[in-house]
Amino acid sequence: MLSIHARQIVEGLVLPVLIFVAIALVFVGQVWPHKVQAVRLAVAGEMAPLYSVLTYPQRKVIQWETVLEGVTNIAEENARLRKENRQLQHWYALSTSLAAENTRLKSILHWGNDPNLADISGWVVRDESGPYLHAVLLDIGEQNPVHMGSVAVDANGLVGRVSEVGARVVRVLLINDATSRIPVRLVSSHADAIMAGDNSLYPRLMYYNQDVHPVEGERVETRGQTGITGGVAIGRVHYLNERRPVIVPDADLAHLDLVRVFDNDTALESPPAAGRVKEKPFLRNTPDDKKEGAFSQGLKHIWPFSQFSHE
Amino acid sequence: MSAHYDRASLRQNNLSQRTMRQTLRMLWKTLLPSLFMIVLSIVFAAPFRILGQGELQTGLVLGTVWFWSLYRPASMPIWLLLISGLIIELFVSTPPGLLLLWMLVVYGVAHMVRFHFAEGGFFRYWGLYSLTVLVGAVLEWCLLSVRAMMILSPSALFFQWSLSVGVYPLLHVAFVLGRHFSHPSDHP
């Protein structure tokens, strides 16, 4: 049995010890973020039905709002749909002829078969977006697991890339997150660039050729390479000021609900041709736990260990 | 003899029932703030797409810890704070362990100043709370800047801090009213 004095000392030590434990936990979370994130993903997967129940009234209200808007503007809506339908018929005819021409040209070039894109879809079960972070968790259920880095799209365009994979839930890092870097191609000027998120609504365009500046309104799509499906629509170029080209995303990043993930881990192979330089394979910079061990790889993310990792 | 025995056993039963009821009531009063924080974290983790939802989640949790540690520490024992903090960590998107650390620091500061600022009133406590939250917000900003390998916008830090500090008076009023109506004997 402890004396009153000893008990007071022990009680006084509890808080500092727990604070020390919490600091250790923060350190572990910084060094091995994937391990902690895996636990959070597993919990989110288990909680998905509850989140679905919690957001049910909100979904219903939005649904009713949409229906009411449709009912009140029914004549206007009909006129707009007719106009859109005419435009779509025109685009359908054009795309059919372009697809036929594409097939013919590819057969001339002996292009071979394009890889089949497998896609899975999932509902957003948690929105982790805030001033620091822009990510969503998708409940993919029992579907085939996807790879890290697979691209995610909504009905309109690119949303982000898969950054964590759990048993039932995957985490998608949105394109406007500060840590997001995606290689892109400018469709009209055929130039390459990097799309970098900065936690604002519009990701920046960086590292483009200084001789080929992005054009205002130009379409931007993903650039195919190992781990990234090419040709996925992202948005349009817009200049916030003279030296700051950004991308206005097609996707509605603020209201994501159903998201598709294209699980493609292969790069499109260009046809052999004289004088064409083969693209270098993607340099893998992700930690290879099997070779060097998770401990040393985890530490490499933290200064000053990051300095030694380049040696 | 038998009647006397029955009366005694009846009194004993009543006493044990009352003790049981009192124990349950005490347990409920002790668990309530922690349960409130856990439920709040789960609800705010749902994808409602409310602007500042994650920051509000953090602010409400910290405000709850501050209020109960300051005004009714018996309802916020440290072991319960640790358990609820670990559970809440599963439902937030802050760097792992940071919210738990933040909760413990808020708890420590509240305990430290309980008797020193006894005559300070609400505004002095609120000012101190805002300083404590500012330190945590700066720490979070630093950790996320390290992870992103770039200096993040300080406006994010300000947003987190102002939301956490701004929501506290509402939380304070809600808790005071809640205590007033649920336990009128505590407020003569």
Side-chain angles (χ1 to χ4, degrees), chain B residues 32-97:
Chain B
L32 193 61
S34 303
L35 286 176
F36 174 77
M37 287 194 297
I38 292 169
V39 171
L40 200 78
S41 311
I42 293 171
V43 170
F44 272 76
F48 292 117
R49 299 175 194 93
I50 301 167
L51 181 68
Q53 189 177 327
E55 288 66 40
L56 203 59
Q57 185 187 34
T58 308
L60 290 172
V61 167
L62 293 177
T64 308
V65 174
W66 179 258
F67 179 88
W68 292 97
S69 305
L70 200 62
Y71 297 105
R72 195 179 159 76
S75 294
M76 189 60 73
I78 194 158
W79 59 270
L80 209 49
L81 182 73
L82 178 73
I83 293 169
S84 52
L86 287 172
I87 295 171
I88 290 166
E89 275 290 334
L90 300 172
F91 301 101
V92 293
S93 52
T94 51

Coordinates of all heavy atoms in Angstrom, one line a residue, chain B residues 32-97:
Chain B
L32 N -20.3 10.3 -19.3 CA -21.0 11.1 -20.3 C -20.1 12.0 -21.2 O -20.3 11.9 -22.4 CB -22.1 12.0 -19.5 CG -23.1 12.6 -20.4 CD1 -23.9 11.6 -21.2 CD2 -24.0 13.6 -19.6
P33 N -19.2 12.8 -20.6 CA -18.4 13.6 -21.5 C -17.5 12.8 -22.5 O -17.4 13.2 -23.7 CB -17.4 14.3 -20.5 CG -18.1 14.3 -19.2 CD -18.9 13.0 -19.2
S34 N -17.0 11.6 -22.0 CA -16.2 10.8 -22.9 C -17.1 10.2 -24.0 O -16.7 10.2 -25.2 CB -15.5 9.7 -22.2 OG -14.7 10.3 -21.2
L35 N -18.2 9.7 -23.6 CA -19.2 9.2 -24.6 C -19.6 10.2 -25.6 O -19.6 10.0 -26.8 CB -20.4 8.6 -24.0 CG -20.2 7.3 -23.2 CD1 -21.5 6.9 -22.5 CD2 -19.8 6.2 -24.2
F36 N -19.8 11.4 -25.1 CA -20.2 12.6 -26.0 C -19.1 12.8 -27.0 O -19.4 13.0 -28.2 CB -20.4 13.8 -25.1 CG -20.7 15.1 -25.9 CD1 -21.9 15.3 -26.5 CD2 -19.7 16.0 -26.1 CE1 -22.1 16.4 -27.3 CE2 -19.9 17.1 -26.9 CZ -21.1 17.4 -27.4
M37 N -17.8 12.8 -26.6 CA -16.7 13.1 -27.5 C -16.6 11.9 -28.6 O -16.4 12.2 -29.8 CB -15.4 13.1 -26.7 CG -15.2 14.4 -25.9 SD -13.6 14.7 -25.4 CE -13.3 13.3 -24.3
I38 N -16.8 10.7 -28.1 CA -16.7 9.6 -29.1 C -17.8 9.6 -30.1 O -17.5 9.5 -31.3 CB -16.7 8.2 -28.3 CG1 -15.4 8.1 -27.5 CG2 -16.8 7.1 -29.3 CD1 -15.4 7.0 -26.5
V39 N -19.0 9.8 -29.6 CA -20.2 9.9 -30.6 C -20.0 11.1 -31.5 O -20.2 10.9 -32.8 CB -21.5 10.0 -29.8 CG1 -22.7 10.3 -30.7 CG2 -21.8 8.7 -29.0
L40 N -19.5 12.2 -31.0 CA -19.3 13.4 -31.8 C -18.3 13.1 -32.9 O -18.5 13.4 -34.1 CB -18.8 14.5 -30.9 CG -18.8 15.9 -31.4 CD1 -20.3 16.4 -31.2 CD2 -17.9 16.8 -30.6
S41 N -17.2 12.4 -32.6 CA -16.2 12.0 -33.6 C -16.7 11.1 -34.6 O -16.4 11.3 -35.8 CB -15.0 11.3 -32.9 OG -14.6 12.0 -31.8
I42 N -17.5 10.2 -34.2 CA -18.1 9.2 -35.2 C -19.0 10.0 -36.2 O -19.0 9.8 -37.4 CB -18.8 8.1 -34.5 CG1 -17.8 7.2 -33.7 CG2 -19.6 7.2 -35.5 CD1 -18.4 6.2 -32.8
V43 N -19.9 10.8 -35.6 CA -20.9 11.5 -36.4 C -20.1 12.5 -37.4 O -20.5 12.5 -38.6 CB -21.9 12.3 -35.5 CG1 -22.7 13.2 -36.4 CG2 -22.8 11.3 -34.8
F44 N -19.1 13.2 -36.9 CA -18.4 14.2 -37.7 C -17.5 13.5 -38.7 O -16.9 14.2 -39.5 CB -17.7 15.2 -36.9 CG -18.6 16.4 -36.5 CD1 -19.5 16.3 -35.5 CD2 -18.4 17.6 -37.2 CE1 -20.3 17.3 -35.2 CE2 -19.2 18.6 -36.9 CZ -20.2 18.5 -35.9
A45 N -17.3 12.2 -38.6 CA -16.5 11.5 -39.6 C -17.3 11.1 -40.8 O -16.7 10.7 -41.8 CB -15.8 10.2 -38.9
A46 N -18.6 11.2 -40.7 CA -19.5 10.8 -41.8 C -19.4 11.9 -42.9 O -19.1 13.1 -42.6 CB -20.9 10.7 -41.3
P47 N -19.5 11.5 -44.2 CA -19.3 12.5 -45.3 C -20.5 13.4 -45.5 O -21.2 13.3 -46.5 CB -19.1 11.6 -46.5 CG -19.8 10.3 -46.2 CD -19.8 10.1 -44.7
F48 N -20.6 14.4 -44.6 CA -21.7 15.4 -44.7 C -21.3 16.5 -45.7 O -22.1 17.3 -46.1 CB -22.1 16.0 -43.4 CG -22.8 15.0 -42.5 CD1 -22.2 14.7 -41.3 CD2 -24.0 14.4 -42.8 CE1 -22.8 13.8 -40.4 CE2 -24.6 13.5 -41.9 CZ -24.0 13.2 -40.7
R49 N -20.0 16.6 -45.9 CA -19.4 17.7 -46.8 C -19.8 19.1 -46.3 O -20.1 20.0 -47.0 CB -19.9 17.5 -48.3 CG -19.5 16.2 -48.8 CD -20.1 15.9 -50.2 NE -19.9 14.6 -50.5 CZ -20.8 13.6 -50.3 NH1 -22.0 13.9 -49.8 NH2 -20.6 12.4 -50.7
I50 N -19.7 19.2 -45.0 CA -19.9 20.5 -44.4 C -18.5 21.2 -44.4 O -17.5 20.6 -44.0 CB -20.4 20.4 -42.9 CG1 -21.7 19.6 -42.9 CG2 -20.5 21.8 -42.2 CD1 -22.1 19.2 -41.5
L51 N -18.5 22.5 -44.7 CA -17.2 23.2 -44.7 C -16.6 23.2 -43.3 O -17.3 23.6 -42.4 CB -17.5 24.6 -45.2 CG -16.2 25.5 -45.4 CD1 -15.3 25.0 -46.5 CD2 -16.6 27.0 -45.6
G52 N -15.4 22.8 -43.2 CA -14.7 22.8 -41.9 C -15.1 21.7 -41.0 O -14.9 21.8 -39.8
Q53 N -15.7 20.7 -41.5 CA -16.2 19.6 -40.7 C -15.1 18.9 -39.8 O -15.3 18.7 -38.6 CB -16.8 18.5 -41.6 CG -17.6 17.4 -40.9 CD -18.2 16.5 -41.9 OE1 -18.6 16.9 -43.0 NE2 -18.3 15.2 -41.5
G54 N -13.9 18.7 -40.4 CA -12.8 18.1 -39.7 C -12.3 19.0 -38.6 O -12.0 18.5 -37.5
E55 N -12.2 20.2 -38.9 CA -11.7 21.2 -37.9 C -12.7 21.4 -36.8 O -12.3 21.6 -35.6 CB -11.5 22.6 -38.6 CG -10.3 22.6 -39.5 CD -10.5 21.7 -40.7 OE1 -11.6 21.7 -41.3 OE2 -9.5 21.0 -41.1
L56 N -14.0 21.4 -37.1 CA -15.0 21.5 -36.1 C -15.0 20.3 -35.2 O -15.2 20.4 -34.0 CB -16.4 21.5 -36.8 CG -17.6 22.2 -36.1 CD1 -17.2 23.6 -35.7 CD2 -18.8 22.1 -36.9
Q57 N -14.7 19.1 -35.8 CA -14.6 17.9 -35.0 C -13.5 18.0 -33.9 O -13.7 17.8 -32.7 CB -14.3 16.7 -35.9 CG -14.2 15.3 -35.3 CD -13.7 14.3 -36.4 OE1 -12.9 14.6 -37.2 NE2 -14.2 13.1 -36.3
T58 N -12.4 18.5 -34.4 CA -11.2 18.7 -33.4 C -11.6 19.8 -32.4 O -11.4 19.6 -31.2 CB -10.0 19.2 -34.2 OG1 -9.8 18.3 -35.3 CG2 -8.8 19.3 -33.3
G59 N -12.2 20.9 -32.8 CA -12.6 22.0 -31.9 C -13.6 21.5 -30.9 O -13.4 21.9 -29.7
L60 N -14.5 20.7 -31.3 CA -15.6 20.3 -30.3 C -15.0 19.3 -29.3 O -15.3 19.4 -28.1 CB -16.7 19.6 -31.0 CG -17.6 20.6 -31.9 CD1 -18.6 19.9 -32.7 CD2 -18.3 21.6 -30.9
V61 N -14.1 18.5 -29.7 CA -13.5 17.5 -28.8 C -12.6 18.3 -27.8 O -12.7 18.0 -26.6 CB -12.6 16.5 -29.6 CG1 -11.7 15.7 -28.7 CG2 -13.5 15.5 -30.4
L62 N -11.8 19.2 -28.3 CA -10.9 19.9 -27.4 C -11.7 20.8 -26.4 O -11.4 20.9 -25.2 CB -10.0 20.8 -28.2 CG -8.9 20.1 -29.0 CD1 -8.1 21.0 -29.8 CD2 -8.0 19.2 -28.1
G63 N -12.8 21.4 -26.9 CA -13.7 22.2 -26.0 C -14.3 21.4 -24.9 O -14.4 21.8 -23.8
T64 N -14.7 20.2 -25.3 CA -15.3 19.3 -24.3 C -14.3 18.9 -23.2 O -14.6 19.0 -22.0 CB -15.8 18.0 -25.0 OG1 -16.6 18.3 -26.1 CG2 -16.6 17.1 -24.0
V65 N -13.1 18.6 -23.6 CA -12.0 18.3 -22.7 C -11.8 19.5 -21.7 O -11.7 19.3 -20.5 CB -10.7 17.9 -23.4 CG1 -9.6 17.6 -22.4 CG2 -10.9 16.6 -24.2
W66 N -11.7 20.6 -22.3 CA -11.4 21.9 -21.5 C -12.5 22.1 -20.5 O -12.2 22.3 -19.3 CB -11.2 23.1 -22.5 CG -11.0 24.4 -21.8 CD1 -11.9 25.3 -21.5 CD2 -9.7 24.8 -21.3 NE1 -11.3 26.4 -20.9 CE2 -9.9 26.1 -20.7 CE3 -8.4 24.3 -21.2 CZ2 -8.9 26.8 -20.1 CZ3 -7.4 25.0 -20.6 CH2 -7.7 26.3 -20.1
F67 N -13.7 22.1 -20.9 CA -14.9 22.4 -20.0 C -14.9 21.4 -18.9 O -15.0 21.8 -17.7 CB -16.2 22.3 -20.8 CG -17.4 22.6 -20.0 CD1 -17.8 23.9 -19.8 CD2 -18.1 21.6 -19.3 CE1 -18.9 24.2 -19.0 CE2 -19.1 21.8 -18.5 CZ -19.6 23.1 -18.3
W68 N -14.9 20.1 -19.2 CA -15.1 19.1 -18.1 C -13.8 19.0 -17.2 O -14.0 18.8 -16.0 CB -15.5 17.8 -18.7 CG -16.8 17.8 -19.3 CD1 -17.1 18.0 -20.6 CD2 -18.1 17.8 -18.6 NE1 -18.4 18.1 -20.8 CE2 -19.1 17.9 -19.6 CE3 -18.5 17.7 -17.3 CZ2 -20.4 18.0 -19.3 CZ3 -19.8 17.6 -17.0 CH2 -20.8 17.8 -18.0
S69 N -12.7 19.2 -17.8 CA -11.4 19.2 -16.9 C -11.4 20.4 -16.0 O -10.9 20.3 -14.9 CB -10.2 19.3 -17.8 OG -10.2 18.2 -18.7
L70 N -12.0 21.5 -16.4 CA -12.0 22.8 -15.7 C -13.1 22.8 -14.6 O -12.8 23.1 -13.5 CB -12.1 23.9 -16.6 CG -11.6 25.3 -16.2 CD1 -10.2 25.3 -15.9 CD2 -11.9 26.3 -17.3
Y71 N -14.3 22.5 -15.0 CA -15.4 22.7 -14.2 C -15.9 21.4 -13.4 O -16.6 21.5 -12.4 CB -16.6 23.3 -15.0 CG -16.3 24.7 -15.5 CD1 -16.0 24.8 -16.9 CD2 -16.2 25.8 -14.7 CE1 -15.6 26.1 -17.4 CE2 -15.9 27.0 -15.2 CZ -15.6 27.2 -16.5 OH -15.2 28.4 -17.0
R72 N -15.6 20.3 -14.0 CA -16.0 19.1 -13.3 C -15.0 17.9 -13.6 O -15.3 17.0 -14.4 CB -17.4 18.6 -13.7 CG -18.0 17.6 -12.8 CD -19.4 17.2 -13.1 NE -19.7 15.9 -12.5 CZ -19.9 15.7 -11.2 NH1 -20.0 16.7 -10.4 NH2 -20.1 14.5 -10.7
P73 N -13.8 18.0 -13.0 CA -12.7 17.1 -13.3 C -13.1 15.6 -13.0 O -12.5 14.7 -13.6 CB -11.6 17.6 -12.5 CG -12.1 18.6 -11.6 CD -13.4 19.1 -12.0
A74 N -14.1 15.5 -12.1 CA -14.4 14.1 -11.7 C -15.1 13.4 -12.9 O -15.0 12.1 -13.0 CB -15.4 14.1 -10.6
S75 N -15.6 14.1 -13.9 CA -16.2 13.5 -15.1 C -15.2 13.4 -16.2 O -15.6 12.9 -17.3 CB -17.4 14.4 -15.6 OG -18.4 14.4 -14.6
M76 N -14.0 13.8 -15.9 CA -13.0 13.6 -17.0 C -11.7 13.1 -16.4 O -10.6 13.7 -16.4 CB -12.7 15.0 -17.6 CG -11.9 15.1 -18.9 SD -12.4 14.1 -20.3 CE -13.8 15.1 -20.8
P77 N -11.8 11.8 -15.8 CA -10.5 11.2 -15.3 C -9.5 10.9 -16.4 O -9.9 10.7 -17.6 CB -11.0 9.9 -14.7 CG -12.3 9.6 -15.3 CD -12.9 10.9 -15.7
I78 N -8.3 10.9 -16.1 CA -7.3 10.8 -17.1 C -7.3 9.5 -17.9 O -7.0 9.5 -19.1 CB -5.9 11.2 -16.5 CG1 -4.9 11.4 -17.7 CG2 -5.4 10.1 -15.6 CD1 -3.7 12.2 -17.3
W79 N -7.6 8.4 -17.1 CA -7.6 7.1 -17.8 C -8.7 7.1 -18.9 O -8.6 6.5 -19.9 CB -7.7 6.0 -16.8 CG -9.0 6.0 -16.0 CD1 -9.1 6.7 -14.8 CD2 -10.3 5.5 -16.3 NE1 -10.4 6.5 -14.3 CE2 -11.1 5.8 -15.2 CE3 -10.8 4.7 -17.3 CZ2 -12.5 5.4 -15.1 CZ3 -12.1 4.3 -17.3 CH2 -12.9 4.6 -16.2
L80 N -9.8 7.7 -18.5 CA -11.0 7.8 -19.5 C -10.6 8.7 -20.7 O -11.0 8.4 -21.8 CB -12.2 8.3 -18.8 CG -13.5 7.8 -19.3 CD1 -13.6 6.3 -19.4 CD2 -14.6 8.3 -18.3
L81 N -9.9 9.7 -20.4 CA -9.4 10.6 -21.4 C -8.5 9.9 -22.4 O -8.6 10.0 -23.6 CB -8.7 11.8 -20.8 CG -8.2 12.9 -21.8 CD1 -9.4 13.7 -22.3 CD2 -7.2 13.8 -21.2
L82 N -7.6 9.1 -21.8 CA -6.7 8.3 -22.7 C -7.5 7.3 -23.6 O -7.2 7.3 -24.8 CB -5.7 7.5 -21.8 CG -4.7 6.7 -22.5 CD1 -3.7 7.5 -23.2 CD2 -4.0 5.7 -21.6
I83 N -8.4 6.6 -23.0 CA -9.2 5.6 -23.8 C -10.0 6.3 -24.8 O -10.0 5.9 -26.0 CB -10.1 4.7 -22.8 CG1 -9.2 3.9 -21.9 CG2 -11.0 3.9 -23.6 CD1 -10.0 3.2 -20.8
S84 N -10.7 7.3 -24.4 CA -11.5 8.0 -25.4 C -10.7 8.7 -26.5 O -11.0 8.7 -27.7 CB -12.5 9.0 -24.8 OG -11.7 9.9 -24.0
G85 N -9.5 9.2 -26.1 CA -8.6 9.8 -27.1 C -8.1 8.8 -28.1 O -8.0 9.1 -29.3
L86 N -7.8 7.6 -27.6 CA -7.3 6.5 -28.6 C -8.4 6.1 -29.5 O -8.2 5.8 -30.7 CB -6.8 5.3 -27.8 CG -5.5 5.5 -27.1 CD1 -5.2 4.3 -26.1 CD2 -4.3 5.6 -28.1
I87 N -9.7 6.0 -29.0 CA -10.8 5.7 -29.9 C -11.0 6.8 -30.9 O -11.2 6.5 -32.1 CB -12.1 5.4 -29.0 CG1 -11.9 4.2 -28.1 CG2 -13.3 5.2 -29.9 CD1 -13.0 3.9 -27.1
I88 N -11.0 8.0 -30.4 CA -11.3 9.2 -31.3 C -10.2 9.2 -32.4 O -10.5 9.6 -33.6 CB -11.3 10.5 -30.5 CG1 -12.6 10.5 -29.7 CG2 -11.3 11.7 -31.4 CD1 -12.6 11.6 -28.6
E89 N -9.0 8.8 -32.1 CA -7.9 8.8 -33.1 C -8.3 8.0 -34.3 O -7.7 8.3 -35.4 CB -6.6 8.3 -32.5 CG -5.8 9.3 -31.7 CD -5.1 10.3 -32.6 OE1 -4.9 10.0 -33.8 OE2 -4.9 11.4 -32.1
L90 N -9.1 7.0 -34.2 CA -9.5 6.2 -35.3 C -10.5 6.9 -36.3 O -10.6 6.5 -37.4 CB -10.2 4.9 -34.8 CG -9.4 4.0 -33.9 CD1 -10.3 2.9 -33.3 CD2 -8.2 3.4 -34.6
F91 N -11.1 8.0 -35.8 CA -12.1 8.6 -36.7 C -11.7 10.0 -37.1 O -12.5 10.7 -37.7 CB -13.4 8.7 -35.9 CG -14.0 7.4 -35.4 CD1 -13.8 7.0 -34.1 CD2 -14.6 6.6 -36.3 CE1 -14.2 5.8 -33.7 CE2 -15.1 5.3 -35.9 CZ -14.9 4.9 -34.6
V92 N -10.5 10.4 -36.9 CA -10.1 11.7 -37.3 C -9.0 11.6 -38.5 O -8.5 10.5 -38.7 CB -9.5 12.6 -36.2 CG1 -10.5 12.9 -35.2 CG2 -8.3 11.8 -35.5
S93 N -8.8 12.7 -39.1 CA -7.8 12.7 -40.2 C -6.6 13.5 -39.9 O -5.8 13.8 -40.8 CB -8.5 13.2 -41.5 OG -9.1 14.4 -41.3
T94 N -6.4 13.9 -38.6 CA -5.2 14.6 -38.2 C -4.0 13.6 -38.2 O -4.3 12.4 -38.1 CB -5.4 15.2 -36.8 OG1 -5.8 14.2 -35.9 CG2 -6.4 16.4 -36.9
P95 N -2.8 14.1 -38.2 CA -1.7 13.1 -38.0 C -1.8 12.2 -36.8 O -2.3 12.7 -35.8 CB -0.4 14.0 -37.9 CG -0.8 15.3 -38.5 CD -2.3 15.5 -38.3
P96 N -1.5 10.9 -36.9 CA -1.8 10.0 -35.8 C -1.2 10.5 -34.5 O 0.0 10.9 -34.4 CB -1.1 8.7 -36.3 CG -1.1 8.9 -37.8 CD -0.9 10.3 -38.1
G97 N -2.0 10.4 -33.4 CA -1.5 10.7 -32.1 C -1.6 12.2 -31.7 O -1.5 12.5 -30.6

